[in-house]
Amino acid sequence: MSAELTRVIKEEARRLGFPLAGVTTPEPPPHWPAYENWLAMGRHASMNYLADERARACRRDPRRLLPECRSILVLGIPYAPPQTIPPPEDGTPRGRVASYAWGQDYHLVLPERLRALVAFIEAHSGGPLPHRLYTDTGPLLERDLAQRAGLGWIGKNTCLIHPRFGSTFFLAEILLGLDLEPDPPFEADRCGTCRRCIEACPTGCILPDRSLDARACLSYLTIENKGEIPPELRPALGEWVFGCDICQAVCPWNRFAPLEVDPAFAPHPGRPRPDLIAALRLDPSAFRRQFADSPVQRARRRGYLRNAAVALANSGRPEAAAALAQASQDADPLVRAHAAWGLEQISKAQKRP
Ligand code: SF4
Ligand code: SF4
Protein backbone atom coordinates (compact mmCIF):
# COMPACT_ATOMS: atom_id res chain seq x y z
CA MET A 1 0.00 0.00 0.00
CA SER A 2 2.66 2.51 1.01
CA ALA A 3 4.79 1.67 -2.08
CA GLU A 4 1.82 2.13 -4.42
CA LEU A 5 0.71 5.31 -2.65
CA THR A 6 4.29 6.65 -2.86
CA ARG A 7 4.34 5.92 -6.60
CA VAL A 8 1.08 7.78 -7.31
CA ILE A 9 2.16 10.72 -5.14
CA LYS A 10 5.40 11.06 -7.14
CA GLU A 11 3.41 10.87 -10.34
CA GLU A 12 1.14 13.67 -9.14
CA ALA A 13 4.20 15.68 -8.05
CA ARG A 14 5.54 15.41 -11.62
CA ARG A 15 2.17 16.56 -12.97
CA LEU A 16 2.36 19.61 -10.69
CA GLY A 17 5.78 20.52 -12.13
CA PHE A 18 8.19 18.73 -9.74
CA PRO A 19 10.20 16.28 -11.89
CA LEU A 20 12.28 15.40 -8.83
CA ALA A 21 10.54 13.67 -5.94
CA GLY A 22 12.01 11.43 -3.25
CA VAL A 23 11.04 10.22 0.19
CA THR A 24 13.11 10.04 3.36
CA THR A 25 12.49 9.50 7.05
CA PRO A 26 12.54 12.21 9.74
CA GLU A 27 15.72 10.79 11.34
CA PRO A 28 18.50 13.33 12.13
CA PRO A 29 20.21 14.38 8.88
CA PRO A 30 23.67 12.84 8.29
CA HIS A 31 25.70 16.07 8.06
CA TRP A 32 24.23 17.75 11.10
CA PRO A 33 27.57 17.64 13.05
CA ALA A 34 29.37 19.28 10.08
CA TYR A 35 26.70 21.99 10.05
CA GLU A 36 27.23 22.65 13.78
CA ASN A 37 30.96 22.90 13.14
CA TRP A 38 30.32 25.38 10.31
CA LEU A 39 28.32 27.56 12.69
CA ALA A 40 30.98 27.27 15.39
CA MET A 41 33.58 28.58 12.91
CA GLY A 42 31.40 31.65 12.24
CA ARG A 43 31.12 30.81 8.54
CA HIS A 44 27.43 31.76 8.54
CA ALA A 45 28.52 35.44 8.68
CA SER A 46 25.68 37.67 9.91
CA MET A 47 22.92 35.07 9.31
CA ASN A 48 22.25 34.72 13.03
CA TYR A 49 18.89 33.08 12.41
CA LEU A 50 20.87 29.98 11.39
CA ALA A 51 22.53 29.79 14.82
CA ASP A 52 19.31 30.27 16.81
CA GLU A 53 18.92 27.48 19.44
CA ARG A 54 15.43 26.43 18.41
CA ALA A 55 16.31 26.43 14.70
CA ARG A 56 19.36 24.27 15.40
CA ALA A 57 17.29 21.79 17.41
CA CYS A 58 14.82 21.54 14.48
CA ARG A 59 17.59 21.03 11.93
CA ARG A 60 18.95 18.21 14.07
CA ASP A 61 15.53 16.58 14.49
CA PRO A 62 12.79 17.41 11.94
CA ARG A 63 10.21 15.93 14.34
CA ARG A 64 10.58 19.12 16.35
CA LEU A 65 8.72 20.80 13.48
CA LEU A 66 6.01 18.14 13.28
CA PRO A 67 5.94 15.59 16.13
CA GLU A 68 3.66 13.27 14.09
CA CYS A 69 6.09 13.29 11.13
CA ARG A 70 6.69 9.81 9.66
CA SER A 71 7.95 10.71 6.17
CA ILE A 72 9.50 13.66 4.39
CA LEU A 73 8.69 14.16 0.73
CA VAL A 74 11.50 16.13 -0.93
CA LEU A 75 10.72 17.81 -4.25
CA GLY A 76 12.78 19.61 -6.88
CA ILE A 77 11.70 22.00 -9.63
CA PRO A 78 14.23 23.33 -12.17
CA TYR A 79 14.94 26.98 -12.81
CA ALA A 80 16.79 28.52 -15.76
CA PRO A 81 20.29 27.08 -16.25
CA PRO A 82 23.03 29.57 -15.38
CA GLN A 83 24.30 30.17 -18.90
CA THR A 84 25.70 33.56 -19.66
CA ILE A 85 23.13 35.78 -21.31
CA PRO A 86 24.98 38.37 -23.39
CA PRO A 87 24.00 41.96 -22.63
CA PRO A 88 22.00 43.88 -25.24
CA GLU A 89 24.29 45.74 -27.62
CA ASP A 90 23.20 49.20 -26.49
CA GLY A 91 26.50 50.10 -24.82
CA THR A 92 24.91 50.56 -21.37
CA PRO A 93 26.83 49.10 -18.42
CA ARG A 94 25.00 45.94 -17.33
CA GLY A 95 24.91 43.90 -14.15
CA ARG A 96 24.29 40.18 -13.72
CA VAL A 97 21.64 38.44 -11.65
CA ALA A 98 21.78 34.79 -10.54
CA SER A 99 19.53 32.67 -12.75
CA TYR A 100 17.27 31.51 -9.91
CA ALA A 101 16.05 35.12 -9.70
CA TRP A 102 15.27 35.64 -13.41
CA GLY A 103 11.61 34.69 -13.04
CA GLN A 104 9.00 34.79 -10.31
CA ASP A 105 9.88 34.40 -6.66
CA TYR A 106 9.67 30.68 -5.84
CA HIS A 107 8.24 31.57 -2.43
CA LEU A 108 5.19 32.88 -4.30
CA VAL A 109 4.93 29.98 -6.75
CA LEU A 110 5.66 26.77 -4.85
CA PRO A 111 3.35 26.85 -1.78
CA GLU A 112 0.20 26.64 -3.92
CA ARG A 113 1.54 23.56 -5.71
CA LEU A 114 2.61 21.98 -2.43
CA ARG A 115 -0.88 22.55 -0.99
CA ALA A 116 -2.39 20.93 -4.09
CA LEU A 117 -0.12 17.92 -3.59
CA VAL A 118 -1.13 17.62 0.08
CA ALA A 119 -4.81 17.74 -0.95
CA PHE A 120 -4.10 14.90 -3.40
CA ILE A 121 -2.30 12.85 -0.71
CA GLU A 122 -5.14 13.39 1.76
CA ALA A 123 -7.70 12.36 -0.83
CA HIS A 124 -5.74 9.14 -1.49
CA SER A 125 -4.94 8.25 2.12
CA GLY A 126 -8.25 8.57 3.88
CA GLY A 127 -8.52 12.17 5.06
CA PRO A 128 -6.74 15.09 6.76
CA LEU A 129 -3.11 14.50 7.68
CA PRO A 130 -0.71 16.35 9.98
CA HIS A 131 1.74 18.09 7.64
CA ARG A 132 4.08 21.07 7.19
CA LEU A 133 5.32 22.66 3.97
CA TYR A 134 8.70 24.28 3.39
CA THR A 135 10.20 26.15 0.45
CA ASP A 136 13.53 27.26 1.89
CA THR A 137 11.43 28.82 4.64
CA GLY A 138 12.15 26.74 7.71
CA PRO A 139 14.90 25.16 9.80
CA LEU A 140 15.57 22.01 7.76
CA LEU A 141 18.89 20.78 6.36
CA GLU A 142 17.20 20.37 3.03
CA ARG A 143 20.17 19.30 0.89
CA ASP A 144 20.95 16.56 3.41
CA LEU A 145 17.37 15.36 3.35
CA ALA A 146 17.34 15.50 -0.46
CA GLN A 147 20.53 13.40 -0.65
CA ARG A 148 18.99 10.87 1.72
CA ALA A 149 15.81 10.88 -0.39
CA GLY A 150 17.95 9.84 -3.38
CA LEU A 151 17.84 13.13 -5.32
CA GLY A 152 21.60 13.57 -5.74
CA TRP A 153 24.87 14.24 -3.95
CA ILE A 154 26.20 17.37 -2.28
CA GLY A 155 28.94 18.66 -4.58
CA LYS A 156 32.16 20.43 -3.69
CA ASN A 157 30.35 23.70 -4.48
CA THR A 158 27.90 22.71 -1.67
CA CYS A 159 24.95 22.47 -4.09
CA LEU A 160 22.82 19.35 -4.37
CA ILE A 161 23.57 17.84 -7.79
CA HIS A 162 21.23 15.49 -9.64
CA PRO A 163 22.91 13.39 -12.35
CA ARG A 164 20.39 14.51 -14.98
CA PHE A 165 19.09 17.88 -13.76
CA GLY A 166 22.40 19.28 -12.46
CA SER A 167 22.08 21.70 -9.59
CA THR A 168 19.76 24.41 -10.88
CA PHE A 169 16.53 23.46 -9.15
CA PHE A 170 14.60 24.69 -6.14
CA LEU A 171 13.99 22.30 -3.28
CA ALA A 172 10.75 22.02 -1.31
CA GLU A 173 9.71 19.63 1.44
CA ILE A 174 6.46 18.24 2.81
CA LEU A 175 6.62 16.74 6.30
CA LEU A 176 3.84 14.20 6.58
CA GLY A 177 2.19 12.21 9.35
CA LEU A 178 2.00 9.27 6.98
CA ASP A 179 4.17 6.26 6.19
CA LEU A 180 5.57 6.38 2.66
CA GLU A 181 8.19 4.14 1.07
CA PRO A 182 11.63 5.78 1.64
CA ASP A 183 14.01 5.97 -1.34
CA PRO A 184 17.57 4.67 -1.05
CA PRO A 185 20.02 7.52 -0.32
CA PHE A 186 22.21 8.78 -3.18
CA GLU A 187 25.53 7.41 -1.92
CA ALA A 188 27.89 8.13 -4.83
CA ASP A 189 30.07 11.24 -4.98
CA ARG A 190 30.29 12.10 -8.65
CA CYS A 191 32.55 15.13 -8.24
CA GLY A 192 35.54 12.80 -8.47
CA THR A 193 38.78 14.71 -9.00
CA CYS A 194 37.05 17.75 -10.52
CA ARG A 195 37.88 21.10 -8.87
CA ARG A 196 36.38 23.51 -11.40
CA CYS A 197 34.08 25.27 -8.94
CA ILE A 198 36.88 25.71 -6.41
CA GLU A 199 39.20 27.15 -9.05
CA ALA A 200 36.55 29.44 -10.57
CA CYS A 201 35.21 30.97 -7.36
CA PRO A 202 36.31 34.63 -7.48
CA THR A 203 36.85 34.90 -3.72
CA GLY A 204 38.19 31.40 -2.97
CA CYS A 205 35.44 30.81 -0.42
CA ILE A 206 34.77 27.14 -1.31
CA LEU A 207 36.63 25.21 1.36
CA PRO A 208 38.24 21.77 1.21
CA ASP A 209 35.78 20.34 3.76
CA ARG A 210 32.87 20.77 1.32
CA SER A 211 31.55 23.86 2.99
CA LEU A 212 31.79 27.48 2.05
CA ASP A 213 32.65 30.55 3.98
CA ALA A 214 29.61 32.79 3.54
CA ARG A 215 31.63 35.80 4.72
CA ALA A 216 33.35 35.89 1.31
CA CYS A 217 30.65 34.38 -0.92
CA LEU A 218 29.15 36.83 -3.43
CA SER A 219 25.71 35.28 -2.97
CA TYR A 220 25.82 36.14 0.72
CA LEU A 221 27.46 39.52 0.22
CA THR A 222 24.91 40.70 -2.36
CA ILE A 223 21.74 39.23 -0.81
CA GLU A 224 21.76 38.31 2.88
CA ASN A 225 24.43 40.80 3.93
CA LYS A 226 22.61 43.91 5.14
CA GLY A 227 25.72 46.00 5.77
CA GLU A 228 28.68 47.17 3.75
CA ILE A 229 30.57 44.98 1.30
CA PRO A 230 34.17 44.76 2.56
CA PRO A 231 36.23 47.04 0.28
CA GLU A 232 38.79 44.32 -0.44
CA LEU A 233 36.04 42.06 -1.85
CA ARG A 234 34.31 44.69 -4.00
CA PRO A 235 36.43 44.13 -7.13
CA ALA A 236 35.57 40.39 -6.96
CA LEU A 237 31.88 41.25 -7.40
CA GLY A 238 32.57 42.04 -11.05
CA GLU A 239 29.14 42.55 -12.64
CA TRP A 240 27.11 40.61 -10.05
CA VAL A 241 24.31 42.62 -8.43
CA PHE A 242 22.23 39.77 -6.98
CA GLY A 243 23.75 36.38 -6.22
CA CYS A 244 26.46 34.63 -8.21
CA ASP A 245 26.23 31.63 -10.56
CA ILE A 246 29.91 30.99 -11.20
CA CYS A 247 30.35 27.76 -9.22
CA GLN A 248 27.23 26.29 -10.85
CA ALA A 249 27.94 27.60 -14.35
CA VAL A 250 31.34 25.86 -14.46
CA CYS A 251 30.01 22.55 -13.10
CA PRO A 252 30.06 19.88 -15.82
CA TRP A 253 26.86 18.37 -14.40
CA ASN A 254 24.96 21.50 -15.45
CA ARG A 255 26.20 21.32 -19.03
CA PHE A 256 23.66 18.70 -20.06
CA ALA A 257 20.82 19.67 -17.73
CA PRO A 258 17.46 19.94 -19.55
CA LEU A 259 16.81 23.41 -20.87
CA GLU A 260 13.04 23.34 -20.33
CA VAL A 261 12.17 25.60 -17.44
CA ASP A 262 8.87 25.93 -15.63
CA PRO A 263 7.14 29.01 -17.14
CA ALA A 264 7.06 30.63 -13.67
CA PHE A 265 10.88 30.75 -13.67
CA ALA A 266 11.47 31.75 -17.29
CA PRO A 267 13.57 34.93 -17.54
CA HIS A 268 11.61 38.20 -17.34
CA PRO A 269 12.86 40.73 -19.89
CA GLY A 270 15.76 42.75 -18.50
CA ARG A 271 16.17 40.69 -15.30
CA PRO A 272 19.30 38.65 -16.17
CA ARG A 273 21.33 41.69 -17.30
CA PRO A 274 19.94 44.83 -15.62
CA ASP A 275 20.91 48.32 -16.76
CA LEU A 276 23.15 49.49 -13.90
CA ILE A 277 22.62 53.21 -14.38
CA ALA A 278 18.83 52.75 -14.32
CA ALA A 279 19.20 50.46 -11.26
CA LEU A 280 21.06 53.13 -9.36
CA ARG A 281 18.25 55.61 -10.08
CA LEU A 282 15.41 53.45 -8.71
CA ASP A 283 13.47 55.28 -6.01
CA PRO A 284 11.75 53.19 -3.30
CA SER A 285 8.40 52.93 -5.08
CA ALA A 286 9.99 52.11 -8.46
CA PHE A 287 12.09 49.39 -6.76
CA ARG A 288 8.97 47.88 -5.15
CA ARG A 289 7.08 47.96 -8.46
CA GLN A 290 9.95 46.46 -10.47
CA PHE A 291 10.64 43.59 -8.05
CA ALA A 292 7.21 42.93 -6.48
CA ASP A 293 7.19 39.29 -7.67
CA SER A 294 10.97 38.76 -7.76
CA PRO A 295 13.46 37.21 -5.31
CA VAL A 296 15.50 40.42 -5.80
CA GLN A 297 13.29 42.16 -3.25
CA ARG A 298 15.13 40.08 -0.60
CA ALA A 299 18.12 42.43 -0.94
CA ARG A 300 15.83 45.44 -0.44
CA ARG A 301 16.44 48.67 -2.32
CA ARG A 302 19.44 49.63 -0.18
CA GLY A 303 21.20 46.30 -0.80
CA TYR A 304 20.42 46.24 -4.52
CA LEU A 305 21.62 49.82 -5.08
CA ARG A 306 24.72 49.14 -2.95
CA ASN A 307 25.53 46.21 -5.26
CA ALA A 308 24.75 48.22 -8.41
CA ALA A 309 27.13 50.97 -7.24
CA VAL A 310 29.94 48.43 -6.80
CA ALA A 311 29.25 46.74 -10.16
CA LEU A 312 29.15 50.13 -11.89
CA ALA A 313 32.48 51.04 -10.31
CA ASN A 314 33.89 47.69 -11.47
CA SER A 315 32.79 48.50 -15.04
CA GLY A 316 35.31 51.36 -15.04
CA ARG A 317 33.06 53.16 -17.53
CA PRO A 318 33.26 56.99 -17.48
CA GLU A 319 29.49 57.31 -18.08
CA ALA A 320 28.96 55.69 -14.65
CA ALA A 321 30.21 58.84 -12.93
CA ALA A 322 27.01 60.91 -13.16
CA ALA A 323 24.77 58.14 -11.77
CA LEU A 324 27.26 57.40 -8.98
CA ALA A 325 27.52 61.13 -8.12
CA GLN A 326 23.73 61.34 -7.87
CA ALA A 327 23.56 58.15 -5.73
CA SER A 328 26.27 59.51 -3.43
CA GLN A 329 23.55 61.97 -2.27
CA ASP A 330 20.96 59.19 -1.69
CA ALA A 331 18.88 59.28 1.50
CA ASP A 332 20.26 55.87 2.50
CA PRO A 333 23.75 55.98 4.06
CA LEU A 334 24.67 52.50 2.76
CA VAL A 335 23.91 53.53 -0.83
CA ARG A 336 25.68 56.88 -0.34
CA ALA A 337 28.86 55.24 0.97
CA HIS A 338 29.12 52.65 -1.82
CA ALA A 339 28.31 55.22 -4.51
CA ALA A 340 30.98 57.57 -3.16
CA TRP A 341 33.49 54.70 -3.20
CA GLY A 342 32.42 53.85 -6.75
CA LEU A 343 32.89 57.44 -7.89
CA GLU A 344 36.41 57.40 -6.46
CA GLN A 345 37.21 54.20 -8.39
CA ILE A 346 35.94 55.68 -11.67
CA SER A 347 37.96 58.82 -11.16
CA LYS A 348 41.11 56.76 -10.37
CA ALA A 349 40.50 54.68 -13.51
CA GLN A 350 40.24 57.85 -15.61
CA LYS A 351 43.57 59.14 -14.29
CA ARG A 352 45.40 55.95 -15.22
CA PRO A 353 47.53 56.39 -18.35
FE1 SF4 B 1 32.11 31.45 -5.00
FE2 SF4 B 1 30.13 32.65 -6.33
FE3 SF4 B 1 29.94 30.09 -5.69
FE4 SF4 B 1 29.84 31.98 -3.74
S1 SF4 B 1 28.34 31.65 -5.40
S2 SF4 B 1 30.96 30.06 -3.70
S3 SF4 B 1 31.29 33.48 -4.62
S4 SF4 B 1 31.44 31.00 -7.10
FE1 SF4 C 1 31.83 18.83 -8.22
FE2 SF4 C 1 33.27 19.74 -10.30
FE3 SF4 C 1 30.70 20.39 -10.05
FE4 SF4 C 1 32.52 21.40 -8.35
S1 SF4 C 1 32.39 21.78 -10.57
S2 SF4 C 1 30.52 20.59 -7.82
S3 SF4 C 1 33.89 19.67 -8.13
S4 SF4 C 1 31.53 18.31 -10.39
Side-chain angles (χ1 to χ4, degrees):
M1 168 61 185
S2 110
E4 177 55 15
L5 181 59
T6 307
R7 189 191 65 74
V8 295
I9 290 171
K10 288 179 180 175
E11 208 172 277
E12 178 65 4
R14 274 191 288 278
R15 199 190 63 79
L16 288 167
F18 299 101
L20 304 180
V23 175
T24 187
T25 62
E27 302 309 312
H31 294 102
W32 175 74
Y35 178 74
E36 282 288 304
N37 186 46
W38 181 77
L39 289 176
M41 307 281 280
R43 291 175 179 161
H44 57 300
S46 70
M47 296 180 282
N48 293 330
Y49 56 89
L50 296 177
D52 169 80
E53 273 305 321
R54 185 185 165 272
R56 282 161 66 181
C58 294
R59 284 192 175 87
R60 183 179 61 226
D61 179 6
R63 288 192 197 92
R64 298 283 289 255
L65 295 166
L66 181 73
E68 306 91 328
C69 183
R70 302 179 69 97
S71 310
I72 303 178
L73 183 56
V74 188
L75 303 155
I77 183 166
Y79 55 82
Q83 84 274 29
T84 303
I85 294 200
E89 288 179 8
D90 58 3
T92 311
R94 298 273 166 179
R96 294 183 69 178
V97 167
S99 69
Y100 86 85
W102 291 352
Q104 274 181 272
D105 188 344
Y106 59 102
H107 296 105
L108 303 175
V109 174
L110 299 189
E112 195 182 323
R113 299 190 194 186
L114 297 177
R115 283 193 290 272
L117 188 53
V118 169
F120 176 91
I121 298 169
E122 290 179 334
H124 286 74
S125 61
L129 285 170
H131 68 271
R132 303 229 21 198
L133 314 175
Y134 294 97
T135 50
D136 188 25
T137 45
L140 280 174
L141 283 186
E142 46 179 14
R143 282 167 301 174
D144 249 29
L145 297 174
Q147 182 269 335
R148 204 172 60 195
L151 297 192
W153 75 101
I154 299 174
K156 290 178 191 170
N157 61 6
T158 76
C159 295
L160 186 84
I161 307 177
H162 183 276
R164 188 162 105 75
F165 286 89
S167 61
T168 53
F169 53 87
F170 298 114
L171 284 173
E173 299 80 28
I174 304 178
L175 273 57
L176 282 165
L178 174 72
D179 282 315
L180 294 176
E181 188 83 357
D183 284 283
F186 196 103
E187 301 285 10
D189 169 12
R190 301 213 186 155
C191 282
T193 56
C194 175
R195 288 176 46 85
R196 286 181 196 205
C197 53
I198 296 169
E199 282 155 14
C201 174
T203 63
C205 69
I206 304 177
L207 304 171
D209 64 355
R210 236 168 249 233
S211 73
L212 63 82
D213 191 338
R215 291 169 294 193
C217 173
L218 303 189
S219 285
Y220 164 77
L221 290 170
T222 57
I223 303 174
E224 295 299 318
N225 167 33
K226 304 301 174 218
E228 73 153 15
I229 296 173
E232 67 280 12
L233 292 175
R234 292 177 194 172
L237 236 72
E239 300 177 316
W240 294 102
V241 289
F242 188 83
C244 163
D245 276 339
I246 295 171
C247 57
Q248 296 198 84
V250 299
C251 179
W253 292 97
N254 282 326
R255 202 179 309 149
F256 304 110
L259 291 174
E260 323 80 73
V261 175
D262 191 286
F265 308 122
H268 282 209
R271 288 244 174 108
R273 303 300 310 249
D275 174 334
L276 289 173
I277 290 177
L280 213 45
R281 291 189 167 141
L282 287 170
D283 64 24
S285 62
F287 178 82
R288 273 195 302 277
R289 265 198 316 279
Q290 187 163 330
F291 296 116
D293 69 340
S294 158
V296 172
Q297 62 179 304
R298 175 92 184 160
R300 303 195 189 135
R301 173 185 179 270
R302 65 195 310 255
Y304 187 65
L305 269 64
R306 168 199 64 192
N307 305 340
V310 173
L312 210 39
N314 289 340
S315 77
R317 301 268 292 270
E319 63 269 43
L324 285 165
Q326 189 187 338
S328 69
Q329 307 296 314
D330 195 90
D332 190 296
L334 188 71
V335 176
R336 278 205 306 272
H338 286 74
W341 174 86
L343 199 52
E344 211 179 292
Q345 304 310 303
I346 296 288
S347 118
K348 279 186 199 159
Q350 279 172 345
K351 285 184 195 138
R352 273 184 218 119

